[in-house]
Amino acid sequence: MPPNDGVYFTSSSFKIPSLSQTLASHLYRARHSAFQLIHSLRKSSNFLKAPSGPTAFGVHSLIRSSPLLCCASLSLTTQSNNLPKSPLLCSASLSLSQPSSPDSAQSGSEVPHKGHSTTAGRSDEERVLISEVLVRNKDGEEMERKDLEMEALTALKACRANSALTVREVQEDVHRIIDSGYFSSCMPVAVDTRDGIRLVFQVEPNQEFHGLVCEGANVLPMKFLEDAFRDAHGKVVNLKRLDEVINSINGWYTERGLFGLVSGVDIFSGGIIKLQVAEAEVNNISMCFLDRKTGEPTKGKTKPETILRQLTTKKGQVYSMLQGKRDVDTVSTMGLMADVSIIPQPAGDAGKVDLIMNVVERPSGGFSAGGGISSGITSGPLSGLIGSFAYSHRNLFGRNQKLNISLERGQIDSIFRINYTDPWVEGDDKRTSRTIILQNSRTPGTLVHGNQHDNSSLSIGHVTAGIEFSRPLRPKWSGTAGLFFQHAGARDEKGNPIIKDFYGSPLTASGKPYDDMLVAKFESVYTGSGDQGSSMFAFNMEQGLPIMPEWLFFNRVNARARKGAEIGPTRLLLSLSGGHVVGNFSPHEAFAIGGTNSVRGYEEGAVGSGRSYVVGSSEISFPMLGPVEGVIFADYGHDLWSGPNVPGDPAGARYKPGSGYGYGFGIRVDSPLGPLRLEYAFNDGQAKRFHFGVGHRN
């Protein structure tokens, strides 16, 4: 069949026809006619036992000229109580017709109508010997299509030559012929012959398929229908195959969570099949805020448009339950709602639905306190312990805008940060977010400038202010661009500014106590399913802009990739990261290699620090007991011989090797704070070291 020959598509409003006939009525007529057929066959059997002679011949001639006609009619309906499947129900009913001759009228009077109910059990079981079984067309002539004749004969199960049959068995074989799907009617005719009773099934084949009309299918792809009917062109319509096609169409809607189904089927003269498809369109979307305690409707703090703009379901679309579930998840990730649900309800217009989104709001803000561990401090009795205090408001002005003010303080570390985030800039249709950052931090300088011979320590202070914008680029891809001003320098233990470390290596690029820089940032991130074992790729670039002569001019790129794979009960995780920086940059900003999130078995930054680096890691994790899993790992890192290119060569002054590997084992425990990691590692220098961390490795 050519792709579009005889196939065209139109659209119409949603309309489900009422059920015109019921299966029960067909079965009643079939049972009622069965009583008449068994009675007539019994009379034919008695006639055959009459003595030979002119009288017998006369009776025989009468029987041959007046066959018993049993008509089977076919009706197609849709099950209104099971619309998603919408199978075609084929029901064959038997009815008896006889000539209005005096003999037949007299014989008919011998069996009153009321006798049907009293003799039903015996009639169903009485058998009549059949000498021959044939299949003919509706006019009783041989069929031109022998393949269709064979289909009908193949469908027969009980009706065979030289077999004794009951009416029930004949009725069941009529159903089997109809159920083969090729025939629109089947009429069993019992004819008396010299050799006995001949049973002829007079059948009428369905029309040949020559065209398709599909109405109301607005989202169903044309190619789907073309493929479903392509091989049927010019062939006799098979109702079983048509039923399979209808089920496949309904399945297409079901698989995608769409409210749609085939609501009606018609076969017109000329072999044209008309499918009526019903699709439920979204008429209106409204919101209802519910009280957290009572569940009763209440007034919400969030502006409805702030939530509704998150939905991908729009008015006029065919409603999809899968799309609705994604919308529920999207609203939940806003962090404003304790519970979200979408309830579809019939709309006033036929074939449309109204969506009601029920939401329960969380408290919008408050104070919090906590603690953590910093991996940048490697000595001291309280090394790594950090306390924190924060105030947050997650729904400023009812627009999901967020304000966070936090303070973290440790033995050396301290960070004061103010973040203001608008997760969706008003008037933007690309879901662009905006974040304004103010930060004052002090971090240990041990990653690059550690191991002072006089046991003194230094810290790096940063004052940062900037703005960044983020938005989805495509599915699973996001992008971030920003502009930041940074003021950074080093201080000793007493808080005094210093420009060189114990080895005489410079601590700033400008030679002054502080370096100033204006940095343009771009980052693109790909995430798979989002869990730790899924694929991930991130690319980051920072460009120093020398707007002022003393501001630093440099370019830094950094990339990270991760790939996970399930191998039986274990999970293999491979990761690779690398970076390079060119231009005039602060020495303490060199890439540091070694430590809990780099090469395990080494202290933080103990492998090396350089303008370039590469670190690879492999882990195999396996379940142990409940939330506990075991892990074995191996890491390798290299500065690509770039350590001496850092101003002052701080790595060379401390005799860092520039490359190294580590391996070991550990356990992971799921906790409300995230995975707790305890690992024991060996390095290539035969040193051993415990590593403890909270959360996934960076």
Side-chain angles (χ1 to χ4, degrees):
M1 171 183 175
N4 295 310
D5 289 353
V7 181
Y8 66 93
F9 302 87
T10 62
S11 298
S12 66
S13 60
F14 182 105
K15 184 178 181 182
I16 300 179
S18 60
L19 196 63
S20 59
Q21 293 180 335
T22 63
L23 181 61
S25 64
H26 290 303
L27 295 179
Y28 173 80
R29 291 200 304 269
R31 184 174 181 84
H32 175 76
S33 302
F35 302 144
Q36 299 182 30
L37 179 60
I38 187 63
H39 173 69
S40 301
L41 290 176
R42 290 173 60 194
K43 289 177 64 62
S44 299
S45 178
N46 292 334
F47 285 143
L48 293 175
K49 297 177 182 179
S52 60
T55 304
F57 178 81
V59 174
H60 181 265
S61 300
L62 176 62
I63 296 176
R64 293 190 59 180
S65 61
S66 305
L68 300 175
L69 305 180
C70 303
C71 300
S73 63
L74 172 66
S75 65
L76 304 179
T77 63
T78 55
Q79 272 187 309
S80 60
N81 61 344
N82 193 15
L83 286 177
K85 293 185 178 179
S86 186
L88 295 175
L89 301 181
C90 302
S91 176
S93 60
L94 295 174
S95 61
L96 179 67
S97 63
Q98 288 183 323
S100 57
S101 65
D103 293 340
S104 61
Q106 183 179 358
S107 62
S109 62
E110 294 176 1
V111 184
H113 184 272
K114 64 181 180 179
H116 290 177
S117 59
T118 59
T119 62
R122 294 195 306 272
S123 299
D124 284 349
E125 300 302 326
E126 293 188 26
R127 295 183 177 275
V128 176
L129 181 63
I130 301 298
S131 62
E132 188 178 9
V133 178
L134 299 176
V135 174
R136 294 290 185 263
N137 63 19
K138 64 178 182 178
D139 298 323
E141 301 173 353
E142 288 194 15
M143 298 185 64
E144 296 180 0
R145 295 281 300 270
K146 295 301 180 182
D147 56 335
L148 294 178
E149 179 179 342
M150 185 56 63
E151 290 287 348
L153 288 172
T154 303
L156 299 177
K157 182 178 180 181
C159 296
R160 294 287 187 267
N162 300 317
S163 59
L165 304 176
T166 65
V167 170
R168 183 186 301 276
E169 291 173 334
V170 175
Q171 176 189 357
E172 290 173 351
D173 272 352
V174 168
H175 278 279
R176 292 187 182 99
I177 291 177
I178 294 296
D179 289 343
S180 69
Y182 289 100
F183 306 97
S184 59
S185 67
C186 178
M187 181 188 303
V189 180
V191 182
D192 180 30
T193 68
R194 295 181 181 276
D195 299 325
I197 295 179
R198 174 190 299 157
L199 181 59
V200 179
F201 291 94
Q202 294 183 359
V203 297
E204 182 177 4
N206 296 324
Q207 302 178 68
E208 292 184 354
F209 173 67
H210 291 294
L212 173 68
V213 177
C214 184
E215 295 185 350
N218 298 315
V219 298
L220 185 67
M222 180 185 298
K223 188 177 185 304
F224 184 88
L225 287 174
E226 290 178 351
D227 292 342
F229 286 93
R230 189 181 305 276
D231 297 334
H233 190 265
K235 299 180 181 178
V236 172
V237 175
N238 186 298
L239 297 181
K240 290 181 64 177
R241 171 58 184 159
L242 181 59
D243 188 50
E244 293 174 359
V245 171
I246 292 172
N247 288 334
S248 69
I249 294 174
N250 294 339
W252 186 90
Y253 283 99
T254 302
E255 290 171 3
R256 288 154 182 81
L258 296 170
F259 275 26
L261 54 86
V262 177
S263 59
V265 183
D266 290 306
I267 303 178
F268 298 107
S269 60
I272 305 299
I273 297 178
K274 176 184 176 182
L275 298 181
Q276 183 66 45
V277 177
E279 297 176 347
E281 294 182 355
V282 177
N283 179 63
N284 188 41
I285 305 175
S286 59
M287 292 201 52
C288 180
F289 292 90
L290 302 179
D291 186 84
R292 291 196 304 272
K293 296 181 179 179
T294 65
E296 297 296 325
T298 185
K299 183 178 181 180
K301 298 179 180 179
T302 307
K303 295 184 179 299
E305 60 268 21
T306 300
I307 299 176
L308 293 177
R309 68 179 180 177
Q310 302 285 339
L311 307 183
T312 58
T313 301
K314 305 296 181 183
K315 295 180 182 179
Q317 292 181 349
V318 177
Y319 179 60
S320 167
M321 292 183 291
L322 297 180
Q323 190 175 9
K325 182 180 183 303
R326 289 193 295 267
D327 287 338
V328 168
D329 294 339
T330 300
V331 174
S332 297
T333 57
M334 295 172 64
L336 303 180
M337 307 301 166
D339 185 66
V340 182
S341 62
I342 294 180
I343 309 298
Q345 293 184 346
D349 295 339
K352 294 188 177 183
V353 294
D354 288 332
L355 302 182
I356 300 176
M357 173 170 280
N358 295 323
V359 295
V360 178
E361 290 183 304
R362 298 179 186 271
S364 57
F367 294 91
S368 63
I373 296 177
S374 171
S375 60
I377 304 176
T378 58
S379 62
L382 299 177
S383 63
L385 292 180
I386 297 176
S388 65
F389 180 79
Y391 169 79
S392 64
H393 197 295
R394 61 173 62 93
N395 196 15
L396 285 174
F397 315 116
R399 297 185 178 276
N400 194 30
Q401 298 173 4
K402 297 173 171 51
L403 175 66
N404 290 282
I405 303 174
S406 63
L407 173 65
E408 296 180 2
R409 191 73 171 89
Q411 184 181 3
I412 297 178
D413 300 55
S414 67
I415 301 177
F416 176 74
R417 180 188 296 116
I418 300 176
N419 278 21
Y420 167 78
T421 300
D422 184 352
W424 193 334
V425 178
E426 188 173 359
D428 178 79
D429 61 348
K430 304 297 184 181
R431 295 178 177 261
T432 301
S433 66
R434 176 182 57 219
T435 301
I436 299 174
I437 302 171
L438 296 174
Q439 180 174 298
N440 187 354
S441 65
R442 187 178 68 165
T443 57
T446 54
L447 292 177
V448 177
H449 297 277
N451 298 327
Q452 303 278 75
H453 277 192
D454 59 356
N455 292 324
S456 62
S457 61
L458 58 87
S459 60
I460 307 298
H462 295 81
V463 176
T464 304
I467 185 172
E468 67 178 18
F469 296 87
S470 299
R471 54 163 290 190
L473 300 178
R474 54 184 303 178
K476 300 184 179 180
W477 282 93
S478 62
T480 301
L483 188 66
F484 297 87
F485 177 80
Q486 185 170 292
H487 178 77
R491 292 180 179 270
D492 60 16
E493 291 178 324
K494 297 180 180 180
N496 299 317
I498 54 176
I499 59 175
K500 291 186 177 181
D501 64 10
F502 178 83
Y503 297 93
S505 300
L507 295 173
T508 60
S510 63
K512 300 177 180 180
Y514 294 96
D515 286 330
D516 293 329
M517 63 197 82
L518 182 65
V519 181
K521 173 187 175 182
F522 170 78
E523 183 177 40
S524 180
V525 178
Y526 168 85
T527 55
S529 61
D531 57 35
Q532 177 64 12
S534 65
S535 299
M536 183 276 293
F537 175 77
F539 174 81
N540 177 282
M541 182 179 70
E542 297 177 352
Q543 176 65 56
L545 305 175
I547 304 299
M548 302 295 290
E550 64 273 17
W551 291 1
L552 301 186
F553 177 51
F554 65 91
N555 180 271
R556 178 200 300 264
V557 294
N558 193 14
R560 307 187 310 276
R562 181 184 68 215
K563 177 65 176 179
E566 300 287 341
I567 306 176
T570 66
R571 183 173 66 243
L572 173 65
L573 185 64
L574 302 175
S575 60
L576 180 68
S577 61
H580 180 67
V581 60
V582 296
N584 191 21
F585 73 105
S586 301
H588 56 77
E589 297 287 348
F591 296 110
I593 308 171
T596 302
N597 291 314
S598 180
V599 180
R600 286 161 285 191
Y602 283 90
E603 293 185 4
E604 303 298 323
V607 174
S609 55
R611 283 180 175 264
S612 305
Y613 88 103
V614 62
V615 171
S617 176
S618 63
E619 294 184 352
I620 297 178
S621 58
F622 48 89
M624 294 181 64
L625 181 63
V628 181
E629 67 176 14
V631 61
I632 56 177
F633 58 84
D635 306 322
Y636 177 78
H638 200 293
D639 66 3
L640 302 178
W641 305 278
S642 64
N645 297 328
V646 177
D649 189 12
R654 290 158 178 79
Y655 301 103
K656 295 182 180 180
S659 66
Y661 63 85
Y663 57 92
F665 57 90
I667 60 172
R668 309 273 172 83
V669 182
D670 283 335
S671 74
L673 300 177
L676 303 179
R677 299 183 285 125
L678 179 61
E679 299 161 338
Y680 189 64
F682 307 84
N683 65 24
D684 50 351
Q686 307 304 316
K688 310 175 185 65
R689 186 172 183 82
F690 276 105
H691 295 273
F692 178 75
V694 179
H696 297 290
R697 276 165 51 90
N698 295 331

